[in-house]
């Protein structure tokens, strides 16, 4: 009854008999009091636990934020030391460390022990892959065969050494990885750089038949694996590659070279892989684990013809005996002779022929990646990754040890900052030492194949340091366009390592980069090279849509265009060469370390990931505008409209601009709002993936940037579309162009919708 007052009486009091209302009410009230007290105790306990938790969170926040960003930057940059990089370098490049050998394991163990001390956790990931090695008892060679069957002018089996630090016992026989074994006796044809255009020129303009011949060509201006592919598809019986002095040597006097200057000696050569489909050849698309299915050896996508490198000195002996038509002017090289196309012999050698022999073997070996972790606080599932490969063809002082030495100093400095309790990143930082990169990005490819779902949904960025210093003129970066701003900020924060540049009024790394490696379409900013392939960033950018960058110091590439630094993949890539001609005080290496360290700090800790989708959208607009301008007449002739494509570009620009405005007005105290904005920044790049892959190349998914189909090193904007256009210009089939225009339009709208939330 409403409004009644019930007196609570003791059970033994008058009127508290069995079944009385007073007894019921008394028990009911006591139960209520008990429950109330119990709830109070529970709430108090929860309050204590929450207080303890908040106290712990506060401790982390205080640890993380007791220094402001500028102070943290100063602490980090000041902690990095050139002498530490030098010490690392001298450990890493003291001995050859080709993938699958004992020294690779020794260096892996050294990195593991370092990271156990410096980082939160370290793990190793092993894979069993097909590699390739020369056979010292059945070596590769090229020779001239006399009429009586004698072999003369046999090419060097071992690359000659030039300095005491180059130990002859360290040098393996010459080879190109994955070249087929075999023996050929045939005529020889000069094919310039062995590019598609070179074979097309021989076939259509000069009617030179290369079928069954030993084709000889120059290194440079393209990936050697693509050269082998074109040689095989055009019918060559074998391919010989040499480093012409025009491309790698001292053009003024080819006899003067290392150790007297930085140029490649005429008796030296370049090793390298021929693998086009990166990753273990036996387990395409899946990691090379013990449980993996391996395709039969006769089904692997590898060269079916022998391919081997020789020195320019050896090449001179063969080219000088070749007759036939004089090669075009643009095909003439730096050797002291007139280059001829061959398939004929010079007078006096009419009955001579050429012999090519290869004894390469393709065994399975174990490789090992080493991964170090610094766990994040607020977003530990978000991964900011820095990687460098550990393996080299020989000593690998520049490629890759200059990069490994830098990464080890960056990991030490960032780890030290965390352990000092001055800072801990909000996102997890991972440092990775890859194995077997030189064979075709095997270590990174297998790891990403194993953890593709994790990388696809969790990786924020991948920063690659393959080589830290290959020249001392300027910084350069390859990157996805949304990293332009963070690269500018980081390079503007690092002091210029070149006093001569400072004297010219260029106090920072950014100033020289902008002055010497400027964007030819916009000279007010430095050039950001597109990412193709050729290093471990490839599988992140092309397979999982992770935005990334590859940074290093380089020569003045505008004044001195070269395919690579002169002693690339040779026995002379040593510590002595590096210290004499590139970076004696390790100041350039230190600058790269500081730039990469600042990028990692910012990307791992800025509340909003410091990437700009608007910069990416503007670059897409520029790429589409160039394609449209270059094809305007052909499109009009074949009734092809780019109106829908241009509308997609406008949609993307509008969405990106609106998104950047939303970011500018974001509530930084709202964790869910921040997470949602960061998701849209991350997944923008994923929206530009076509999971069916590019036409004929399912292992490439990035619609905007992918390697050229004719040069795997070269990054090309909208590769599938440009390939379709180039093919249509040859075969007049424009249906594929229409299809690729539609696919491109779709993906640009998709990226716009990701930025717009839906």
């Amino acid at each position: 009854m409403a409004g009644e007052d019930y007196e609570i009486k003791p059970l033994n009091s008058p009127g508290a008999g069995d079944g009385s209302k007073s007894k019921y009410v008394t028990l009911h009230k006591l139960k209520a009091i008990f429950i109330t007290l119990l709830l109070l105790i529970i709430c108090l306990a929860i309050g204590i636990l929450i207080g303890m938790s908040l106290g712990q969170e506060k401790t982390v926040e205080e640890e993380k934020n007791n220094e402001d960003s500028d102070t943290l930057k100063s602490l980090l940059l000041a902690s990095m030391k050139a002498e530490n990089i030098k010490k690392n370098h001298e450990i890493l490049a003291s001995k050859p460390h080709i993938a699958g050998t004992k020294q690779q394991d020794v260096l892996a163990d050294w990195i593991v022990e370092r990271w156990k001390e410096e980082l939160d956790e370290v793990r190793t990931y092993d894979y069993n892959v097909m590699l390739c090695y020369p056979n010292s008892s059945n070596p590769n060679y090229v020779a001239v065969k006399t009429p009586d069957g004698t072999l003369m002018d046999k090419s060097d089996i071992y690359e000659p050494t030039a300095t005491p630090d180059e130990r002859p016992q360290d040098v393996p026989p010459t080879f190109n990885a994955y070249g087929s074994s075999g023996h050929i006796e045939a005529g020889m044809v000069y094919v310039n750089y062995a590019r598609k255009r070179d074979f097309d020129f021989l076939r259509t303009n000069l009617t030179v038949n290369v079928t069954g011949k030993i084709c000889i060509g120059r290194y440079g201006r393209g990936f050697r694996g693509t050269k082998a592919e074109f040689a095989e598809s055009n019918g060559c019986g074998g391919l010989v590659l040499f480093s012409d002095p025009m491309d790698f040597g001292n053009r003024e006097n080819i006899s003067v070279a290392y150790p007297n200057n930085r140029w490649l000696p005429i008796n030296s050569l370049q090793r390298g892989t021929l693998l086009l489909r990166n990753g273990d050849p036996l387990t395409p698309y899946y990691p090379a684990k013990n449980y993996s299915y391996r395709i039969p050896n006769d089904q692997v996508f590898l060269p079916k013809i022998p391919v081997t490198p020789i020195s320019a000195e050896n090449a001179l002996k063969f080219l000088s005996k070749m007759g036939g038509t004089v090669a075009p002017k643009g095909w003439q090289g730096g050797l002291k002779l007139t280059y001829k196309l061959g398939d004929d012999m010079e007078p006096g050698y009419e009955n001579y022929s050429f012999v090519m022999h290869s004894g390469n073997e393709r065994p399975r070996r174990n490789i090992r990646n080493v991964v170090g972790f610094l766990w994040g606080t607020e977003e530990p599932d978000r991964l900011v990754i820095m990687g460098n490969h550990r393996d080299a063809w020989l000593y690998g002082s520049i490629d890759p040890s200059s990069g490994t030495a830098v990464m080890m100093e960056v990991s030490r400095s960032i780890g030290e900052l965390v352990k000092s309790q001055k800072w801990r990143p909000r996102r997890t930082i991972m440092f990775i030492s890859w194995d077997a990169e030189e064979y075709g990005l095997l270590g990174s490819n297998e790891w990403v194949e194993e953890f593709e779902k994790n990388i696809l949904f969790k990786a924020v960025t991948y920063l690659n340091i393959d080589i830290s210093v290959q020249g001392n003129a300027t910084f350069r970066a390859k990157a996805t366009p949304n990293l332009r701003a963070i690269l500018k900020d980081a390079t503007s924060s690092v002091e210029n390592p070149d006093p001569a540049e400072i004297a010219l009024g260029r106090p920072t790394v950014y100033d020289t980069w902008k002055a010497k490696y400027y964007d030819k379409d916009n000279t007010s900013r430095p050039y950001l090279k597109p990412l193709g392939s050729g290093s471990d960033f490839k599988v992140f950018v092309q397979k999982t849509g992770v935005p990334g960058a590859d940074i290093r110091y380089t020569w003045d590439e505008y004044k001195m265009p070269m395919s690579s630094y002169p002693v690339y993949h040779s026995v002379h890539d040593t510590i002595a060469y590096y210290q004499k001609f590139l970076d004696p005080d390790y100041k350039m290496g230190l600058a790269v370390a500081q730039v990469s360290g600042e990028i990692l700090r910012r990307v791992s800790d800025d509340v909003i990931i410091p990437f700009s989708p608007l910069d990416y959208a503007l670059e897409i607009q520029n790429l589409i505008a160039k394609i449209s301008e270059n094809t305007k007449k052909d499109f009009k002739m074949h009734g092809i409209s780019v109106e829908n494509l241009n509308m997609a570009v406008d949609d993307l620009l509008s969405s990106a601009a609106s998104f950047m405005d939303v970011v500018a007005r974001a509530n930084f105290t709202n964790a869910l709002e921040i997470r949602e904005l960061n998701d849209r920044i991350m997944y923008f790049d994923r929206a530009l993936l076509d999971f069916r892959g590019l036409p004929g190349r399912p292992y490439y998914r990035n619609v905007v940037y992918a390697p050229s189909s004719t040069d795997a090193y070269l990054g090309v904007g909208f590769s599938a579309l440009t390939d379709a256009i180039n093919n249509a210009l040859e075969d007049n089939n424009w249906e594929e162009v229409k299809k690729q225009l539609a696919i491109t339009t779709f993906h640009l709208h998709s990226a716009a919708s990701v930025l717009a939330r839906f």
Side-chain angles (χ1 to χ4, degrees):
M1 281 174 210
E4 283 190 315
D5 290 328
Y6 295 104
E7 181 183 4
I8 300 177
K9 297 181 180 180
L11 289 177
N12 60 353
S13 64
D18 290 342
S20 70
K21 187 176 184 179
S22 177
K23 178 180 178 182
Y24 172 79
V25 172
T26 300
L27 290 170
H28 181 73
K29 289 293 185 180
L30 286 173
K31 184 177 180 181
I33 291 170
F34 176 77
I35 291 172
T36 301
L37 289 173
L38 182 61
L39 288 172
L40 286 172
I41 292 170
I42 292 171
C43 289
L44 179 62
I46 291 172
I48 292 170
L49 291 172
I50 290 173
M52 292 173 63
S53 176
L54 289 174
Q56 290 174 347
E57 289 182 6
K58 184 178 179 182
T59 300
V60 172
E61 287 299 314
E62 286 176 349
E63 173 189 325
K64 181 170 174 298
N65 294 321
N66 66 349
E67 304 282 359
D68 63 32
S69 183
D70 287 341
T71 302
L72 285 169
K73 176 173 68 176
S74 298
L75 287 170
L76 179 62
L77 299 185
S79 70
M80 297 183 192
K81 305 296 181 186
E83 55 265 32
N84 292 339
I85 298 174
K86 180 180 180 182
K87 290 176 183 177
N88 294 337
H89 191 229
E90 291 176 344
I91 290 171
L92 291 159
S94 62
K95 297 179 181 178
H97 44 289
I98 192 170
T101 63
K102 181 179 179 181
Q103 185 63 13
Q104 265 295 85
D105 291 335
V106 169
L107 294 180
D109 291 342
W110 176 75
I111 292 173
V112 167
E113 293 307 310
R114 281 278 302 267
W115 284 350
K116 280 182 178 179
E117 296 177 3
E118 298 166 357
L119 306 178
D120 293 332
E121 186 177 349
V122 60
R123 303 175 189 173
T124 58
Y125 298 88
D126 292 2
Y127 304 96
N128 187 259
V129 299
M130 174 192 278
L131 297 178
C132 180
Y133 301 98
N135 186 338
S136 57
S137 61
N138 184 24
N140 303 331
Y141 66 84
V142 183
V144 176
K145 187 175 183 179
T146 66
D148 64 2
T150 303
L151 296 183
M152 57 181 279
D153 295 332
K154 196 172 183 180
S155 62
D156 295 323
I157 293 172
Y158 296 94
E159 183 183 14
T161 58
T163 58
D165 61 317
E166 300 168 5
R167 298 174 293 274
Q169 64 270 26
D170 289 343
V171 183
T174 61
F175 80 117
N176 281 126
Y178 300 115
S180 177
S181 60
H183 186 91
I184 308 167
E185 296 183 17
M188 185 173 284
V189 176
Y190 174 55
V191 294
N192 196 25
Y193 291 104
R195 300 167 296 186
K196 180 179 184 298
R197 72 184 74 169
D198 297 324
F199 284 105
D200 288 347
F201 183 82
L202 287 172
R203 183 177 60 256
T204 59
N205 295 77
L206 300 174
T207 61
V208 174
N209 185 4
V210 300
T211 302
K213 304 301 189 330
I214 299 171
C215 295
I216 184 169
R218 297 190 275 177
Y219 270 122
R221 305 192 186 185
F223 175 51
R224 72 187 74 80
T226 313
K227 297 173 188 286
E229 180 184 39
F230 290 138
E232 182 177 320
S233 64
N234 279 277
C236 296
L239 178 64
V240 179
L241 294 169
F242 70 98
S243 299
D244 194 286
M246 180 70 72
D247 304 293
F248 300 93
N250 185 347
R251 298 175 188 177
E252 296 179 359
N253 185 349
I254 63 175
S255 63
V256 179
Y258 184 74
N260 298 313
N261 62 31
R262 61 178 175 161
W263 298 109
L264 184 72
I266 193 173
N267 62 0
S268 294
L269 55 88
Q270 176 191 135
R271 297 156 186 80
T273 188
L274 305 170
L275 189 64
L276 283 174
R277 296 183 181 178
N278 298 142
D280 175 36
L282 295 175
T283 59
Y285 307 107
Y286 298 97
K289 306 297 288 185
N290 290 335
Y291 60 75
S292 299
Y293 173 76
R294 288 171 169 80
I295 62 176
N297 284 358
D298 60 357
Q299 294 181 19
V300 296
F301 187 78
L302 292 174
K304 295 180 175 58
I305 63 172
V307 183
T308 194
I310 63 172
S311 69
E313 184 176 64
N314 290 154
L316 178 61
K317 297 176 182 178
F318 307 132
L319 293 171
S320 63
K321 296 176 177 62
M322 292 166 54
T325 305
V326 173
K329 183 178 180 181
W331 291 36
Q332 298 297 320
L335 292 171
K336 304 296 184 182
L337 84 161
T338 298
Y339 291 55
K340 296 182 179 180
L341 297 179
D343 200 22
D344 199 355
M345 302 297 287
E346 284 286 274
Y349 297 98
E350 290 88 348
N351 296 319
Y352 288 61
S353 62
F354 295 94
V355 172
M356 179 181 183
H357 182 82
S358 176
N360 288 349
E361 299 174 335
R362 298 171 177 172
R364 280 170 53 184
R365 298 278 179 90
N366 288 328
I367 62 171
R368 174 169 297 175
N369 298 329
V370 183
V371 183
F373 298 82
L374 280 172
W375 298 109
T377 53
E378 290 88 341
E379 299 179 271
D381 62 320
R382 291 296 190 234
L383 311 175
V384 178
I385 307 172
M386 179 181 186
N388 157 270
H389 74 92
R390 188 176 68 254
D391 65 301
W393 288 118
L394 280 169
Y395 300 103
S397 170
I398 300 168
D399 179 13
S401 297
S402 68
T404 315
V406 160
M407 182 174 70
M408 297 306 294
E409 179 63 358
V410 173
S411 64
R412 183 201 65 78
S413 298
I414 292 182
E416 185 179 85
L417 192 60
V418 171
K419 290 187 179 297
S420 71
Q421 298 189 347
K422 290 184 171 67
W423 174 77
R424 179 174 283 275
R426 66 184 290 124
R427 304 178 188 96
T428 295
I429 298 175
M430 298 172 67
F431 297 97
I432 308 183
S433 172
W434 305 115
D435 203 347
E437 185 270 357
E438 294 291 6
Y439 276 87
L441 320 182
L442 270 62
S444 58
N445 199 86
E446 301 311 301
W447 189 81
V448 171
E449 285 180 342
E450 182 175 8
F451 299 104
E452 180 178 356
K453 307 305 187 298
N454 276 336
I455 302 305
L456 188 67
F457 296 119
K458 297 179 180 179
V460 178
T461 192
Y462 175 71
L463 177 61
N464 195 60
I465 311 286
D466 188 323
I467 296 168
S468 68
V469 180
Q470 65 181 20
N472 45 33
T474 180
F475 178 87
R476 80 103 170 100
K478 295 181 179 180
T480 44
N482 43 358
L483 271 68
R484 181 180 292 280
I486 185 63
L487 282 164
K488 178 181 179 181
D489 289 349
T491 52
S492 297
S493 299
V494 175
E495 181 181 352
N496 200 319
D498 187 346
E501 286 293 300
I502 295 175
L504 292 172
R506 301 167 186 162
T508 70
V509 169
Y510 178 79
D511 296 320
T512 295
W513 181 22
K514 183 175 72 172
K516 289 190 174 182
Y517 214 135
Y518 52 85
D519 188 334
K520 293 179 180 178
D521 291 331
N522 183 354
T523 56
S524 67
R525 66 184 188 182
Y527 180 45
L528 206 60
K529 298 183 73 172
L531 289 167
S533 185
S535 193
D536 294 300
F537 58 76
K538 175 258 177 183
V539 68
F540 287 91
V541 175
Q542 303 298 337
K543 190 176 184 68
T544 56
V546 176
D550 176 88
I551 65 174
R552 64 184 60 170
Y553 249 78
T554 189
W555 62 88
D556 193 330
E557 295 184 15
Y558 285 170
K559 291 185 177 180
M560 188 181 297
M562 295 188 293
S563 296
S564 68
Y565 61 92
V567 298
Y568 174 68
H569 287 185
S570 78
V571 72
H572 311 305
D573 186 353
T574 62
I575 296 169
Y577 182 96
Y578 181 93
Q579 293 179 349
K580 185 173 183 179
F581 295 110
L582 294 180
D583 194 17
D585 299 319
Y586 288 81
K587 292 181 179 179
M588 308 294 171
L590 176 60
V592 175
Q594 291 172 325
V595 169
S596 56
E598 177 61 5
I599 292 172
L600 289 183
R601 185 189 70 82
R602 287 280 309 281
V603 177
S604 68
D605 206 44
D606 280 14
V607 176
I608 299 290
I609 298 168
F611 297 165
S612 172
L614 182 57
D615 282 343
Y616 206 144
L618 289 168
E619 191 60 32
I620 285 172
Q621 182 186 44
N622 292 336
L623 290 170
I624 294 298
K626 288 180 181 178
I627 292 172
S628 298
E629 181 62 28
N630 292 337
T631 57
K632 183 166 39 179
K633 292 181 179 178
D634 294 295
F635 279 13
K636 184 177 180 180
M637 183 185 305
H638 295 90
I640 298 174
S641 172
V642 294
E643 181 180 358
N644 288 328
L645 180 60
N646 289 334
M647 288 173 62
V649 172
D650 291 342
D651 182 27
L652 181 61
L653 285 169
S654 175
S655 185
S658 297
F659 176 76
M660 298 306 290
D661 184 58
V662 171
V663 169
R665 294 182 285 104
N667 179 2
F668 279 31
T669 65
N670 187 330
L672 291 177
E673 179 183 347
I674 295 304
R675 178 74 173 202
E676 193 254 351
L677 292 175
N678 282 333
D679 283 350
R680 284 152 74 183
I681 290 173
M682 282 181 54
Y683 297 142
F684 172 77
D685 288 75
R686 274 69 166 185
L688 296 168
L689 295 179
D690 188 333
F691 286 95
R692 295 182 62 189
L694 303 188
R697 299 190 292 166
Y699 36 90
Y700 292 123
R701 296 172 174 173
N702 195 308
V703 172
V704 181
Y705 286 108
S708 163
S709 60
T710 59
D711 180 2
Y713 282 148
L714 182 64
V716 174
F718 296 102
S719 177
L721 177 57
T722 55
D723 280 349
I725 292 169
N726 290 333
N727 290 337
L729 290 171
E730 291 185 3
D731 60 20
N732 205 35
N733 181 0
W734 292 88
E735 287 303 306
E736 183 65 23
V737 174
K738 296 175 183 178
K739 179 180 178 180
Q740 292 306 320
L741 280 170
I743 290 172
T744 303
T745 300
F746 162 75
H747 282 96
L748 297 188
H749 281 307
S750 295
S753 70
V754 166
L755 291 179
R757 185 176 289 170
F758 194 82

